[in-house]
């Protein structure tokens, strides 16, 4: 089996280790995101430790009672994994270090880091959904999968095999266990059927017959005196072909597969990290925007005179500066002021005087002559609250896109935001919040 050269494999591993170290050491990740992804960071650290120590993992996978644990014990040459005639003896993942015969071909090419065999629960146990998820997670992080069956593949096995092979990153060995139960002709037919069913999923040379724990047989021996002696004996495990296949794959592809799997894990981690950072920034930005909306709404409600407009502008500029910091894209007050002027121009262009009049009317809905000044002030403050909310959402979009308006410019952004908002509901929310604060409710 041809594989990457030792130097190329070492290079791949080195790059994978550097990538994982960089992810773990990235100080730009907010503490809140690190806390949310604590389990992922722990898995990343364990994976790095595996690579640094040269560990390779083989995960056994298959239905309940196909002999997975027994097969691992046979490979190890000792009883390390629990076996039982009852279904579902294995309920959690467990591992053991596997030392191979140094005379096996290719073993010398592996560093003395260690190969570990990992037992997993069966995939079709009644009520064992959680254990099945664990088995799939373990298999997803292994460097090689030992898929064990005891006959022709069932629909459950074939679906599982397809899912495992979908990533296409790790070798799969399909072990036909318990072959001692079949005649030579039956075994040949089964192997042919397995090759047909797994075509495109498993290499033909990776389909291997074996017998981890052959059934006892009656043995009759004749002594020197011609007397027959009958006894029950269990034949030795038939796993040599499987042992050689596994070590041959590890020697040829182990390091490269380990590096590739680490790279894929890092890629998935980065995608989730990016989503968490985006969500955190979005949540922080929403909090910032609403705080400035309330501050501006209260300011206008308490002092609804033209001079208050200047303070309102300062509040919007401060909000834009704050949003820039949330997204790690700081702007000066001058830059924020220019951005605000752009947004105000687009709002005036899109909303127009008739729209502004409708906005004010909606805010004042229910407020008629004779009502208290505090109700009228709350309505005026709600209009200011709404305007700042639109400005804040537009500025957030600008920073989230890397200080870019994208195609269509600011006009398109403002138009999309206005179209997405339930104006009347927001005005009602703003008015209620402002009135509550004016009346001393600290909600």
């Amino acid at each position: 089996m041809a594989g990457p050269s030792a130097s190329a494999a070492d290079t791949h591993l080195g790059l994978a280790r550097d990538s994982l170290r960089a992810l773990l050491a990235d100080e730009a990740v907010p503490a809140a995101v690190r806390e949310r992804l604590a389990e992922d960071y722990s898995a990343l650290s364990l994976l790095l430790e595996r690579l640094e120590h040269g560990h390779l993992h083989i995960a056994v996978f298959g239905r309940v009672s196909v002999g997975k644990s027994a097969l691992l014990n046979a490979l190890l040459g000792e009883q390390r994994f629990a076996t039982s005639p009852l279904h579902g003896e294995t309920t959690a993942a467990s591992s053991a270090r596997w030392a191979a015969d140094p005379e096996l071909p290719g073993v010398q090419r592996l560093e003395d880091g260690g190969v570990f065999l990992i037992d997993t629960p069966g995939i079709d146990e009644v009520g064992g959904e959680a254990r099945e998820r664990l088995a799939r997670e373990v298999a997803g992080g292994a460097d090689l999968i030992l898929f064990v069956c005891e006959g022709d593949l069932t629909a459950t096995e074939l679906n599982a095999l397809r899912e495992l092979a979908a990533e296409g990153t790790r070798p799969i060995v399909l072990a036909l266990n318990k072959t001692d139960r079949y005649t030579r002709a039956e075994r040949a037919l089964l192997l042919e059927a397995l090759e047909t069913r797994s075509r495109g999923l498993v290499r033909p040379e990776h389909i291997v017959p074996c017998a981890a724990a052959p059934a006892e047989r009656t043995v009759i021996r004749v002594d020197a005196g011609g007397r027959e002696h009958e006894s029950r004996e269990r034949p030795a495990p038939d796993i040599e072909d499987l042992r050689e296949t596994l070590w041959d794959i590890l020697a040829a592809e182990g390091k490269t597969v380990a590096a590739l799997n680490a790279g894929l894990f890092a890629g998935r981690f980065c995608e989730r990290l990016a989503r968490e950072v985006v969500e955190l920034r979005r949540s922080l930005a929403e909090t910032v925007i609403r705080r400035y909306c309330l501050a501006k709404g209260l300011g206008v409600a308490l002092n609804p005179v033209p001079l208050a407009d200047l303070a309102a502008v300062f509040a919007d500029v401060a909000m834009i500066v704050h949003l820039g910091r949330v997204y790690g894209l700081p702007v000066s007050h001058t830059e924020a002021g220019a951005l605000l002027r752009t947004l105000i121009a687009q709002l005036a262009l899109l909303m127009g005087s008739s729209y502004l009049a409708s906005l004010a009317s909606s805010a004042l809905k229910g407020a008629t002559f004779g009502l208290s000044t505090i109700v009228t002030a709350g309505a005026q403050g709600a209009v200011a609250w709404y305007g700042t909310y639109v400005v804040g959402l537009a500025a957030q979009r600008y920073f989230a896109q890397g200080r870019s308006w994208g195609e269509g410019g600011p006009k398109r952004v403002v138009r999309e935001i206005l179209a997405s908002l339930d104006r009347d509901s927001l005005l009602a929310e703003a008015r209620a919040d402002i009135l509550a604060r004016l009346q001393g409710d600290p909600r």
Side-chain angles (χ1 to χ4, degrees):
M1 178 187 304
S5 66
S7 59
D10 288 336
T11 299
H12 296 157
L13 276 177
L15 291 173
R17 285 192 290 262
D18 290 344
S19 175
L20 298 187
R21 290 192 194 103
L23 286 173
L24 287 169
D26 188 357
E27 297 181 355
V29 178
V33 171
R34 280 186 175 272
E35 185 175 347
R36 290 184 192 177
L37 299 181
E39 290 186 7
D40 297 80
Y41 272 101
S42 178
L44 197 66
S45 181
L46 290 174
L47 180 55
L48 176 59
E49 184 178 352
R50 262 176 63 185
L51 294 184
E52 289 180 334
H53 289 85
H55 293 172
L56 295 174
H57 286 187
I58 299 176
V60 69
F61 194 90
R63 291 189 299 110
V64 171
S65 294
V66 294
K68 300 186 299 296
S69 300
L71 188 53
L72 295 185
N73 287 334
L75 290 169
L76 288 169
E78 58 180 298
Q79 296 296 308
R80 292 288 298 275
F81 300 101
T83 60
S84 168
L86 301 177
H87 285 287
E89 175 66 22
T90 302
T91 58
S94 55
S95 65
R97 186 165 180 162
W98 185 30
D101 183 348
E103 298 302 319
L104 284 175
V107 171
Q108 294 85 351
R109 291 179 54 191
L110 290 172
E111 293 180 357
D112 189 24
V115 175
F116 290 81
L117 301 178
I118 306 176
D119 198 7
T120 63
I123 61 171
D124 63 341
E125 182 182 355
V126 176
E129 292 80 5
R131 290 191 287 276
E132 179 170 340
R133 284 195 299 272
L134 172 63
R136 293 178 184 275
E137 289 174 5
V138 172
D143 303 303
L144 189 156
I145 296 172
L146 177 56
F147 195 110
V148 183
C149 63
E150 60 178 354
D152 197 5
L153 293 176
T154 65
T156 297
E157 289 173 321
L158 187 56
N159 287 335
L161 187 59
R162 285 172 177 154
E163 291 176 6
L164 293 173
E167 289 187 1
T169 59
R170 58 184 59 81
I172 299 175
V173 172
L174 180 56
L176 173 60
N177 194 22
K178 304 182 181 181
T179 53
D180 58 298
R181 301 185 308 182
Y182 305 109
T183 65
R184 182 173 297 181
E186 289 171 338
R187 185 170 69 173
L189 286 173
L190 276 174
L191 290 172
E192 183 179 348
L194 289 175
E195 182 175 342
T196 300
R197 284 182 174 274
S198 65
R199 185 168 292 128
L201 306 175
V202 180
R203 300 176 192 172
E205 64 270 24
H206 290 173
I207 303 174
V208 187
C210 59
E216 288 186 346
R217 297 176 181 176
T218 300
V219 177
I220 299 176
R221 290 187 173 86
V222 181
D223 62 19
R227 292 183 296 271
E228 293 183 352
H229 300 274
E230 183 178 302
S231 62
R232 297 285 292 174
E233 296 181 8
R234 186 183 298 278
D238 179 12
I239 45 89
E240 290 310 309
D241 287 347
L242 178 61
R243 185 197 306 273
E244 291 189 14
T245 299
L246 293 173
W247 279 98
D248 188 35
I249 294 172
L250 290 177
E253 306 178 42
K255 290 183 180 180
T256 299
V257 170
L260 181 58
N261 288 338
L264 288 173
F265 183 91
R268 291 192 295 267
F269 176 85
C270 286
E271 290 175 1
R272 184 168 182 186
L273 179 64
R275 289 195 299 270
E276 289 291 339
V277 170
V278 167
E279 175 57 26
L280 176 65
R281 286 174 170 168
R282 188 207 62 76
S283 178
L284 289 174
E286 178 74 11
T287 299
V288 167
I289 292 169
R290 285 183 173 274
R291 284 177 179 172
Y292 279 96
C293 285
L294 180 58
K296 183 173 176 180
L298 283 171
V300 171
L302 290 169
N303 195 14
V305 295
L307 286 177
D309 292 344
L310 185 59
V313 169
F314 285 144
D316 287 349
V317 168
M319 176 182 66
I320 293 173
V321 170
H322 199 157
L323 289 173
R325 290 201 299 267
V326 167
Y327 281 90
L329 298 169
V331 293
S332 67
H333 283 76
T334 300
E335 292 172 311
L339 186 61
L340 177 61
R341 288 192 294 273
T342 298
L343 292 173
I344 289 175
Q346 295 304 321
L347 280 170
L349 181 65
L350 290 170
M351 296 170 73
S353 58
S354 61
Y355 192 97
L356 290 172
S358 173
L359 181 65
S361 175
S362 297
L364 290 165
K365 189 179 294 181
T368 58
F369 182 78
L371 289 182
S372 65
T373 304
I374 194 170
V375 174
T376 305
Q380 293 171 322
V383 173
W385 189 105
Y386 181 82
T388 292
Y389 191 64
V390 174
V391 168
L393 292 181
Q396 178 192 5
R397 180 89 64 89
Y398 173 77
F399 289 119
Q401 295 177 165
R403 295 182 68 170
S404 170
W405 291 115
E407 294 183 9
K411 182 177 181 179
R412 179 176 178 177
V413 170
V414 173
R415 182 190 294 116
E416 290 176 350
I417 289 172
L418 289 174
S420 69
L421 297 178
D422 184 341
R423 183 196 63 186
D424 292 340
S425 294
L426 284 171
L427 285 170
E429 176 188 346
R431 187 169 60 249
D433 199 7
I434 291 170
L435 289 176
R437 296 301 181 96
L438 290 174
Q439 294 169 346
D441 185 349
R443 66 168 63 180

